[in-house]
């Protein structure tokens, strides 16, 4: 049942209005002045507030601004005995749904309430979507309680509100774009655009055009003017992923944007100015790239004013369970499966894996396992075959679970990796491991390496 609050100091009129509205099936609450009206609005949620303009302790037009700030999804309809244009204009500016004159409202009020309720429902949906977007892209989306992850998150939170360039480093799949989104969403540019581009996904000419735009006729196929991503991100944030892959001559153009906030489009002679926050990311060691002549030293120091390194998953195994359960929830909903748990054996195998693809690889593994699993909890059989083989076998052939810190588990994993590297050549594997061939065969049998 929709709730309506009537704020009016004329008791008889207030009671009459309450009776009319309640007959339409609405729940009605009454208040005689601004203070009591504000208190009732704090105590419970109202869909509509009908408020007189002239009240003993204040003005309804000014009260509307306070009510809308505190309760944006609640629609306010102002009632006045003497309508005037300035009050009406200010009421709408303050967020009132409508402004009507008493005496003219008998036939208008009920239809007006229904219209206001529909607008309120739409506003609630929008606010709900915005809160979900905030949750998806804020620091609440960063999952991890390990010391290294907490240190990275704390640094990112500190720099979020400071309008400076940030460089995110770390292996592929460690969540650099999630961090970039969170920094943007927690900063003072969150209401503006967040634009992301992967610098390794384009050829030189296409990357320049994507970033800075071009004029029609600048090159073959440029049939019309194109706005670049820096323009799209004006007043907001641009995320340059895999910055280490950017051609060195484009690095000079990027440096100019950082220093002066200006660039020249492809095929144009005039300067375009932008106000953009830059967050860059790389999985390369940029200092080594500088030594090799592949990356500009001056650009590196402008980008790395505030650098944050994201740890690989193998260095934060204590977070694997948290991440796994998060992905389980996501993919169970996606596949409409009622999988609510993860077996201890499954988790231990996750912790034994080296995760070269980091969080992205873990996400893929969990999605695959959810699709394959027929039980109410994830079991080792739903894992990829090579991960199942991480569990050594007992004399009876049953899986023997090892701690993630077990020396035997590390040895088995290393042997498996070298075998993969040599394409199963055991002689070459034994040579690389610096052990006898007979020792290798014994280890393969002991660990049941396929």
């Amino acid at each position: 049942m929709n709730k309506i609050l009537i704020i009016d100091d004329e008791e008889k009129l207030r009671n009459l209005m309450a009776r009319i509205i309640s007959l339409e099936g609405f729940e009605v609450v009454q208040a005689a002045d601004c203070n009591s009206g504000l208190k009732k609005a704090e105590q419970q949620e109202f869909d509509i507030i009908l408020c007189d303009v002239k009240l003993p302790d204040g003005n309804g037009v000014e009260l509307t601004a306070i009510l809308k700030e505190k309760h944006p999804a609640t629609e306010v309809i102002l009632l006045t005995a003497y309508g005037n244009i300035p009050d009406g204009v200010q009421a709408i500016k303050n967020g009132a749904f409508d402004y009507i004159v008493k005496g003219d409202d008998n036939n208008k009020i009920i239809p007006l309430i229904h219209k206001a309720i529909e607008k309120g429902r739409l506003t609630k949906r929008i606010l709900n979507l915005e809160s979900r977007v905030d949750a998806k892209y804020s620091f609440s989306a960063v999952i991890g309680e390990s010391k290294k992850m907490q240190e990275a998150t704390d640094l990112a939170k500190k720099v979020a509100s400071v309008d400076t360039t940030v460089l995110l480093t770390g292996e592929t799949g460690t969540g650099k774009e999630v961090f970039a989104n969170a920094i943007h969403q927690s900063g003072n540019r969150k209401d503006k655009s967040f634009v992301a581009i992967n610098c390794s996904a384009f050829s030189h000419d296409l990357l320049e055009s994507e970033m800075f735009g071009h004029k029609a006729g600048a090159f073959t196929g440029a049939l019309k003017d194109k706005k670049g991503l820096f323009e799209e991100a004006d007043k907001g944030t641009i995320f340059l992923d895999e910055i280490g892959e950017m051609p060195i001559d484009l690095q000079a153009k990027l440096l100019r944007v950082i220093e002066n906030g200006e660039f020249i489009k492809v095929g144009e002679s005039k300067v375009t100015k932008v106000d953009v926050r830059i967050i860059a990311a790389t999985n390369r060691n940029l200092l080594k790239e500088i030594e090799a002549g592949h990356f500009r030293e001056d650009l590196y120091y402008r980008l790395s004013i505030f650098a944050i390194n994201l740890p690989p998953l193998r260095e934060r195994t204590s977070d694997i369970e948290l991440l796994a359960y998060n992905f389980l929830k996501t993919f169970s909903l996606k596949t409409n499966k009622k999988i609510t748990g993860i077996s201890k054996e499954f988790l231990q195998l996750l912790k034994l894996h080296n995760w070269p693809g980091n969080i992205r690889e873990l996400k893929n593994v969990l999605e695959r396992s959810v699709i394959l699993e027929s039980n109410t909890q994830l079991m080792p059989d739903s894992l990829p075959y090579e991960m199942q083989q991480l569990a050594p076998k007992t004399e009876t052939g049953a899986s023997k679970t090892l701690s993630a810190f077990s020396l035997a588990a590390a040895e088995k994993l290393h042997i498996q990796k070298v075998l993969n590297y040599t394409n199963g050549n055991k002689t070459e594997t034994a040579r690389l491991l610096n052990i006898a061939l007979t020792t290798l065969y014994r280890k393969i049998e002991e660990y049941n390496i396929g």
Side-chain angles (χ1 to χ4, degrees):
M1 182 183 291
N2 297 109
K3 289 184 179 180
I4 296 177
L5 172 63
I6 300 174
I7 307 174
D8 198 314
D9 61 326
E10 295 183 48
E11 187 177 359
K12 287 183 180 180
L13 181 63
R14 191 174 71 236
N15 289 335
L16 176 62
M17 198 180 301
R19 196 178 309 122
I20 294 169
I21 294 170
S22 61
L23 287 172
E24 293 292 323
F26 299 110
E27 182 182 337
V28 181
V29 176
Q30 299 183 41
D33 52 41
C34 291
N35 285 332
S36 58
L38 280 171
K39 284 179 183 177
K40 289 184 186 297
E42 290 295 326
Q43 290 165 359
Q44 54 186 307
E45 184 180 341
F46 292 98
D47 299 285
I48 308 292
I49 295 177
L50 295 170
C51 183
D52 191 10
V53 171
K54 302 294 183 183
L55 291 164
D57 57 348
N59 183 287
V61 176
E62 295 170 1
L63 180 61
T64 298
I66 299 169
L67 288 167
K68 290 299 290 183
E69 184 180 357
K70 293 184 176 181
H71 314 282
T74 299
E75 296 302 329
V76 180
I77 299 172
L78 285 173
L79 309 170
T80 180
Y82 308 99
N84 65 77
I85 292 173
D87 268 2
V89 170
Q90 191 59 48
I92 301 304
K93 282 184 177 179
N94 287 358
F97 179 76
D98 210 337
Y99 176 92
I100 60 176
V101 178
K102 291 179 182 179
D104 294 340
D105 63 339
N106 295 336
N107 298 321
K108 291 180 181 179
I109 194 67
I110 298 303
L112 196 58
I113 287 172
H114 282 289
K115 287 180 182 178
I117 284 172
E118 283 305 310
K119 183 173 182 289
R121 284 176 183 157
L122 179 61
T123 303
K124 284 176 183 175
R125 284 196 211 108
I126 292 169
L127 290 171
N128 182 48
L129 285 171
E130 286 177 349
S131 67
R132 285 163 63 184
V133 168
D134 286 347
K136 182 178 179 180
Y137 296 115
S138 67
F139 283 106
S140 61
V142 177
I143 299 170
E145 296 177 352
S146 61
K147 184 181 178 182
K148 287 188 176 182
M149 203 59 186
Q150 284 299 311
E151 287 173 352
T153 304
D154 289 344
L155 284 173
K157 285 179 178 178
K158 286 177 181 177
V159 77
S161 59
V162 183
D163 209 17
T164 192
T165 304
V166 178
L167 178 64
L168 301 171
T169 61
E171 296 177 7
T172 298
T174 48
K176 294 188 285 293
E177 187 162 357
V178 173
F179 262 75
N181 262 301
I183 291 169
H184 168 74
Q185 198 64 31
S186 302
N188 54 18
R189 296 174 181 258
K190 69 175 183 178
D191 295 326
K192 303 299 180 181
S193 297
F194 175 86
V195 178
I197 183 170
N198 188 320
C199 299
S200 66
F202 299 92
S203 65
H204 175 286
D205 292 338
L206 277 176
L207 180 59
E208 184 175 13
S209 173
E210 284 294 315
M211 289 174 62
F212 304 111
H214 63 251
K215 292 293 290 180
F219 51 84
T220 304
L223 302 178
K224 57 182 181 179
D225 290 357
K226 174 184 171 65
K227 186 185 283 190
L229 294 181
F230 268 95
E231 276 187 279
E232 296 285 354
D234 191 30
K235 302 295 187 294
T237 302
I238 190 166
F239 174 53
L240 303 175
D241 199 7
E242 304 300 347
I243 189 74
E245 308 287 338
M246 182 179 285
I248 199 151
D249 57 327
L250 285 187
Q251 292 175 28
K253 202 165 183 176
L254 174 60
L255 183 63
R256 183 178 178 184
V257 178
I258 296 173
E259 290 179 339
N260 306 317
E262 58 184 40
F263 60 89
I264 298 174
K265 293 182 181 181
V266 179
E268 192 170 69
S269 56
K270 69 175 184 178
V271 167
T272 299
K273 293 191 74 69
V274 289
D275 172 19
V276 176
R277 180 181 193 173
I278 296 173
I279 300 177
T282 183
N283 61 2
R284 293 191 174 194
N285 185 326
L286 292 185
L287 291 175
K288 288 185 177 179
E289 294 297 310
I290 291 168
E291 288 179 10
H294 299 150
F295 203 82
R296 292 179 63 109
E297 187 174 16
D298 49 3
L299 176 60
Y300 170 75
Y301 288 115
R302 292 309 301 266
L303 288 173
S304 61
I305 292 171
F306 202 99
I308 303 171
N309 182 255
L310 303 188
L313 193 54
R314 64 180 174 274
E315 292 180 9
R316 44 180 291 223
T317 52
S318 59
D319 291 333
I320 288 176
E321 185 171 348
L322 285 172
L323 289 161
Y325 270 101
N326 178 67
F327 293 139
L328 170 62
K329 182 180 178 181
T330 299
F331 295 125
S332 293
L333 288 170
K334 183 179 176 181
T335 58
N336 199 27
K337 284 193 169 186
K338 294 181 179 178
I339 304 173
T340 56
I342 302 176
S343 69
K344 288 182 180 179
E345 294 79 11
F346 187 100
L347 283 171
Q348 286 175 322
L349 289 173
L350 291 185
K351 291 176 181 179
L352 284 171
H353 187 53
N354 199 43
W355 299 112
N358 292 292
I359 300 171
R360 190 177 298 142
E361 182 186 359
L362 176 62
K363 182 179 180 181
N364 293 341
V365 166
L366 262 292
E367 183 172 14
R368 176 188 187 277
S369 294
V370 168
I371 292 169
L372 294 176
E373 190 58 70
S374 56
N375 298 295
T376 57
Q377 64 173 348
L378 295 178
M379 304 299 289
D381 290 348
S382 67
L383 284 167
Y385 177 76
E386 62 273 15
M387 290 186 67
Q388 294 180 37
Q389 298 310 298
L390 291 174
K393 307 292 182 180
T394 63
E395 291 181 2
T396 61
S399 292
K400 180 174 69 177
T401 304
L402 291 178
S403 160
F405 302 102
S406 164
L407 184 60
E411 184 177 53
K412 177 188 173 177
L413 182 61
H414 186 58
I415 292 171
Q416 183 72 67
K417 283 181 177 178
V418 178
L419 279 167
N420 291 341
Y421 175 77
T422 63
N423 293 317
N425 185 322
K426 295 179 177 61
T427 303
E428 179 64 9
T429 299
R431 186 187 70 78
L432 290 171
L433 291 170
N434 198 26
I435 59 174
L437 186 59
T438 53
T439 303
L440 174 62
Y441 274 104
R442 180 171 57 79
K443 294 287 185 184
I444 289 172
E445 185 177 354
E446 178 185 348
Y447 295 138
N448 194 36
I449 297 174

